[in-house]
Amino acid sequence: MLTSTGEAIGGSGLTWWETFGETEIGWTFARAHWGKGYATEAARAVLAWGFGTLGIGQTTAVIHHGHTASTAMARRRGFTPPCADSVLGRPCTVYALSSDDFAAGEDRTLQ
């Protein structure tokens, strides 16, 4: 939500997938608000909450091929691509980030 106007522009959050035994982070924002850093800011806050408050050890992000902005954002946050997969018949890459790698990245941004 934009604090200046109260407009809902998208969101980010965590989902626990019992089937896979893993926590996934996701983000989605209205196209008009892409490229403004909102996904990066939201993902950082959600990751800090998940790794800190919830104490999860690792999270994944499933990104469909061709979503270059999401791929770039995941890499900026420190995610690495461990494997390829498909979701609903669409090819994607499953990125992963450990709590240790997140903390190391946060330390670098504070320097």
Side-chain angles (χ1 to χ4, degrees), residues 38-92:
Y38 299 135
T40 300
E41 182 180 340
R44 192 215 151 274
V46 168
L47 290 167
W49 174 68
F51 291 137
T53 304
L54 299 180
I56 63 173
Q58 176 176 294
T59 187
T60 59
V62 178
I63 302 176
H64 287 103
H65 292 179
H67 287 205
T68 55
S70 285
T71 298
M73 196 283 297
R75 289 183 184 267
R76 275 194 309 276
R77 290 268 37 108
F79 282 82
T80 57
C83 66
D85 204 343
S86 68
V87 174
L88 301 175
R90 293 177 56 200
C92 60

Side-chain angles (χ1 to χ4, degrees), residues 1 6 9-10 22 35-36 57 65 94 98 103:
M1 180 171 293
I9 61 170
E22 65 187 31
K36 298 180 180 179
H65 292 179
V94 180
S98 72

